[in-house]
Amino acid sequence: GTTGTLSNVVTVASTDTTLTENITTNNTATATTTLTPEIDLQITKTDSADPATAGNPLTYTIIVTNAGPSTATNVTLSDTLPVGLTFTSVTSTQGTVTNNAGVISGNLGTLAPSGTVTITLVTAVSPTTRGTITNTATVQATETESNTQNNTASQATLINGSVDLVITKVDSIDPVIAGGALSYTIVVTNNGPSTANNVVMTD
């Protein structure tokens, strides 16, 4: 965590009291080193459940680690939700993470070497979403990165539909008189959680 410059001073002297130094201005030497911090932030992302069901929750676990060797300061996280997901909640073991219209922003603060932050992001899958969606998160800090290839993590999730169609039928009048009118009321309901497409009723 040290910043700035590092100065190291060395002094030489004799303990022989019979000796006299002719020149004492060269008995001290100083070496000054400029400190350049360097970090290696790494990010991983996993999903649950996968495959996910349209209309149900989808949770991401994001882990940010500083492989060092220096301390990372002003660590920030960015994650834009893809089409088909809406924000539900987010928690972090360090710092603050907020949502603004599907853009997740995290101010994770300072991360020491080998330090780790875990972010849990809960989303809701749109009932109409099908196929594969990909969510990407990026992390960065003030210091120079030794490896920027691991600052971004993406997770692809397969989204399937699941529905529960229910049909009911009631008659009126019952009993009916032969030669009279008989009406049926048929009600079709989708208990979800996904949107039901191409619904067909046969009677």
Side-chain angles (χ1 to χ4, degrees), residues 5 13 18 33-34 38 52 59 68-69 89-90 92 120 127 133 141-142 154-155 157 171 178 198:
T5 58
T18 66
T33 306
T34 300
E38 186 178 81
T59 300
S89 67
V90 64
S92 177
T120 304
I133 60 172
T142 301
S154 297
Q155 178 62 56
T157 307
D171 57 356
N198 304 316

Side-chain angles (χ1 to χ4, degrees), residues 33-141:
T33 306
T34 300
L35 301 176
T36 303
E38 186 178 81
I39 61 174
D40 181 17
L41 290 179
Q42 303 170 356
I43 185 171
T44 62
K45 172 183 280 193
T46 56
D47 57 356
S48 180
D50 190 357
T53 302
N56 278 352
L58 173 57
T59 300
Y60 294 102
T61 300
I62 304 168
I63 299 178
V64 178
T65 303
N66 177 20
S70 306
T71 297
T73 61
N74 301 316
V75 180
T76 58
L77 171 82
S78 178
D79 186 329
T80 300
L81 296 182
V83 174
L85 294 184
T86 56
F87 173 82
T88 301
S89 67
V90 64
T91 57
S92 177
T93 57
Q94 177 178 308
T96 59
V97 184
T98 58
N99 166 63
N100 182 14
V103 178
I104 313 302
S105 301
N107 294 313
L108 306 181
T110 299
L111 201 56
S114 301
T116 297
V117 180
T118 301
I119 299 98
T120 304
L121 174 61
V122 182
T123 66
V125 184
S126 166
T128 59
T129 300
R130 302 291 189 274
T132 300
I133 60 172
T134 300
N135 182 231
T136 300
T138 302
V139 67
Q140 62 182 7

Side-chain angles (χ1 to χ4, degrees), residues 152-172:
T152 299
S154 297
Q155 178 62 56
T157 307
L158 177 62
I159 308 297
N160 293 327
S162 177
V163 300
D164 177 21
L165 293 179
V166 179
I167 188 169
T168 61
K169 175 185 280 193
V170 293
D171 57 356
S172 180

